[in-house]
Structures are given as structure tokens and as C-alpha cells.
Amino acid sequence: MTVEIRIMVIEPVDGLLGGQIRQMGFDCRSLSAPEMGEADLNERLIVIDGSYERPEREAVLAAAHAAPQLMPVILAGPAERIHQPAIVDELRGGRIDFVIQTPFTPSQFHSHIKSLARFANIRAEFGRRAAVLARFGRAMAPMPADATISPHTAALLVAGSGRYFNAIEKSLAPDMQVFGALTPELAMDRLAEGGITALVLDMSAEPFADAIAFLRRLRRDARYFHLPVILIPLADNSDGDDRFYEEGVTDILHPPLEAQALLVSLLPLMRIALFREALKTAYEEARSNPVADALTGLYSRGVLLTHLQQLIDDGAGFSIALLSVDNMAVINGEFGYAGGDMILRQIGKAIELLTRGEDMAARFSGSEFALLMPETGEIAANAALRRILSVLRHTSFSPGPGMITVEVEFGGGAVEKQQGESPELMLSRAKALYRYPCR
């Protein structure tokens, strides 16, 4: 039961956008704007062709927002159509969720589509999780409202050559705070201070290898695993875009940089990032006894199993990943159970930072952790697991203050729910798949 992202494309009858998206492997239905009013809206996302004028676009947006389920909206078109003040206003008001410039590469489109699909999943998952926690006597606050982007709520760090800093600061100052860092070290120091919502990485004067090295360093730190990153690469380096997306870039803007293009890219990323932070706070406030594991602060095994059954009852697609500390017995033998507990607590904190907003992280048993991933197929779940294990491998763990760091060995595996499968059988399959040793 592989989870698919179904897309509705609103385009003129002779439009080409839907065909391009189908060639990328998406389940895609193309309709004209007038046809949408009579159609059943059961897709996950809507992509609107940027050739439509504002009145037609407004009719499509009204239908999308009236749909019984949340349907994020992407506007796709050439720069001259989408980099306009009117589009920025629609992004600020939340009428449009994302804008993508055509022509786009498969990597770029996949990155944006998956990000928005997860954003929709987060909202759907909130209600389900609230219902599960209520069974344990824990009430959650209402779902956070969409964040208002302002200098009081959002902060951008521009790291790199400084070539575009003055232009960026001038154009974005009304919407957010803007900070600068001329070197990777200064950038990491500023990020460590906290409060940064997104990062613009200006590598327009730096070699390809230096950009890759910084991205790897950034994404291997659990604190910045989900930080939105917009990259400005060398002007003649468009062939490397796929590699940049593989290394964790959120979006790429090629020089010469236009302020309007940066604003169109940043606003939705900021909005999603701020919503994730508010959601994280809501979850943390509700996560205490009896729903939390006393040692790690993650959800308890009981909550995980209840939530897993709820997903099955709802007929939702999902995957589950199990991670184990393979050398826990050795750690306990060398540093005692108090030292082992200290390391498990640190691992739990790292996993919490690495977990996507829609996923549930829990302590499954003594040295095992679980990740429940709604609307995620097995291939995507194992890819997410590998990224998490890679970061854990580069994270330092210590059995106590001032003590040496300890080498921790991890294993893990992820499986997708099969039709009619019980929670017990699914967990047994996942446990048998500790196939990604991380040493």
C-alpha cells in the first residue's frame, strides 16, 4: 500500500504543465479553471498554471479553500508572472502556499511537493494525536494559527560572501530581521545562539565543493536538520542542482538574485517553519506523564501503540521505523546504568529534534526507539531513517558532564503497513529489519 501524492493541475485546455508533472511520476489530473467548479476535489495538492489572470486564479483558490480537506496550493509559472507584488500579497495572506518558477527540475519539484504534502499531513495528524492523548487524560491546546511573518516573529541569516547582503536586508527588512555571517564558522556560531527561522546560503563566489561541505556540516547537526535553506550557487553551476537537493537544500535561486524572487521563495518557507515551531511547543506542553517516557521525554510505548491502532482504524497509510542502540550492554557495563541512562536521554533529545512535525517519536523499549510516519511509504520512510541514523552517527554522546564521548552503534529498519496487518506483525517485521548499521 504505497502512499502516493495525487495532484490536481489547473491549466488551460492546451496547457503543458500537467503532462510535465505526470512525466515525473506523479498521479496527476488536469482540469481547466471552469471545470474545477464541477469536479470532486480528492487530490492532496493543487498546482495552478501561472498563465491564469487574477480573477480566474481567485475562483480556483475559493474552490480549493472550500474543499472538505486541506488542499495546499502551488502557483507555477515563469518569473515575469510569479515574481509580482500581487503574488507576494497572496503568499502573505496564505491564499497561496507556495510558488515555483518554470521551467523546474524534477528534484526541485519533488522537494517542494513533498514539503507541502508534509505540511498538510501535519495538520491532519494534529487532530488524530489530540484524540489519542485525550484517551490518556491529556488535553492539547488548539491547533496553532498560521504565523504572521514580521520582524517580531521571523529572523533570516544570510551566510557567505556578503555579495547580496545589502540588497537582501533592504528588501526584506519590513518582513523579518536579517543577520549576516561572512564565514561558515560565524554562521554556525550565530545559528547556535538560536532564533533563526531560515538561512540564505550565498555561495555565489565559492566552489561547488565548499557549498556541499557546509551543507553536510549543517544537516549533520540535529538542531538544524529541518532549518529551511535557500542556496545561491555559482552562476554557471546549474548542473549541480540535483546534488544540492540531495544534500538538504530547500530551494535554489540562481544569480543574479532578484529581491522579489527571494521574497516569493522565503515567505512560504518561513510560514511553514514558524508553524512547525508553534506545533512543537503545543506537543511539548501536552507531553508529560502518563503519555511521556520518564527517561527520554519522548512518547511512551502505550501512546505509540494506541496511535498506531488509530491510524489503522482510520485507514491511513503509514510506515513505522525502529531504531536500536546495538552496544547498550557494553555502555552499561563500562559506565553503569546511570551513564547508560544519560546517553539514552541524549539520544532521545536528538531523535526529537530530527523528527518531522507529522511523525511521532517514542521510546519503544529499553534501548529501542520508534518513529511512526503517517502518509509515508516504505521507500521514503527508509530514506528518512537513513538520514536520521547518519546524523546520530555524527552526534557526540557522553555518559556524564565532563566525561569522554562514547561511540554509540545504531541499527534500524522501516516497514510500511500492509493491508489487514496487525500492529504486532508490523512491529515484528520492522524489528527484523535492523539493516542500516550506523557505526
Side-chain angles (χ1 to χ4, degrees), residues 87-386:
I87 302 301
V88 172
D89 290 342
E90 291 182 62
L91 284 168
R92 283 197 179 102
R95 300 282 288 165
I96 295 174
D97 295 287
F98 219 95
V99 172
I100 184 169
Q101 182 177 330
T102 55
F104 43 72
T105 67
S107 295
Q108 183 183 23
F109 189 75
H110 275 267
S111 175
H112 295 328
I113 287 293
K114 288 188 291 185
S115 177
L116 275 180
R118 287 197 297 268
F119 188 44
N121 291 343
I122 288 173
R123 292 176 175 274
E125 175 64 13
F126 185 90
R128 185 181 289 122
R129 191 170 304 188
V132 168
L133 296 187
R135 300 182 194 178
F136 291 83
R138 295 297 299 172
M140 280 180 48
M143 182 184 294
D146 285 344
T148 300
I149 298 173
S150 74
H152 299 291
T153 61
L156 175 72
L157 177 62
V158 182
S161 70
R163 177 181 176 186
Y164 292 107
F165 179 80
N166 289 338
I168 291 173
E169 183 180 37
K170 182 178 178 180
S171 62
L172 300 186
D175 292 282
M176 63 196 73
Q177 297 183 74
V178 181
F179 301 93
L182 291 175
T183 68
E185 293 300 328
L186 290 174
M188 297 302 289
D189 288 345
R190 180 60 188 87
L191 287 171
E193 294 176 13
I196 297 299
T197 315
L199 171 68
V200 170
L201 185 57
D202 179 5
M203 303 299 284
S204 59
E206 304 297 333
F208 175 85
D210 288 358
I212 293 293
F214 182 81
L215 287 168
R216 286 181 176 174
R217 180 182 179 186
L218 185 76
R219 293 310 192 198
R220 284 172 179 170
D221 191 316
R223 295 170 295 178
Y224 317 127
F225 192 68
H226 297 294
L227 181 73
V229 178
I230 295 178
L231 175 70
I232 307 172
L234 283 168
D236 58 351
N237 200 45
S238 59
D239 291 342
D241 285 5
D242 288 352
R243 179 74 180 280
F244 287 133
Y245 281 113
E246 290 172 4
E247 296 293 344
V249 161
T250 315
D251 202 1
I252 298 174
L253 296 177
H254 288 279
L257 182 67
E258 297 179 4
Q260 200 78 0
L262 179 60
L263 192 57
V264 163
S265 178
L266 262 178
L267 286 176
L269 296 179
M270 288 279 196
R271 179 168 159 256
I272 293 174
L274 291 172
F275 180 84
R276 285 180 181 273
E277 283 301 310
L279 194 70
K280 179 182 177 182
T281 300
Y283 283 155
E284 287 176 348
E285 290 174 349
R287 197 171 61 232
S288 60
N289 287 332
V291 301
D293 171 64
L295 179 63
T296 64
L298 299 177
Y299 286 106
S300 67
R301 178 189 177 106
V303 171
L304 175 83
L305 295 176
T306 303
H307 198 76
L308 193 156
Q309 186 61 58
Q310 185 65 58
L311 285 164
I312 292 175
D313 293 344
D314 291 347
F318 67 95
S319 293
I320 190 165
L322 293 182
L323 298 79
S324 70
V325 181
D326 292 344
N327 62 335
M328 199 68 231
V330 174
I331 292 172
N332 286 334
E334 185 171 353
F335 301 101
Y337 287 102
D341 284 351
M342 180 70 74
I343 287 176
L344 287 174
R345 190 177 293 113
Q346 294 166 19
I347 293 171
K349 182 61 177 178
I351 290 174
E352 180 184 7
L353 290 170
L354 296 169
T355 301
R356 303 177 306 180
E358 69 271 33
D359 298 340
M360 173 178 279
R363 188 182 180 199
F364 186 67
S365 65
S367 60
E368 290 181 311
F369 299 87
L371 285 175
L372 199 54
M373 306 180 188
E375 299 297 334
T376 305
E378 187 165 317
I379 293 175
N382 277 297
L385 176 61
R386 284 195 295 272

Side-chain angles (χ1 to χ4, degrees), residues 398-405:
S398 171
M403 299 182 69
I404 63 171
T405 58

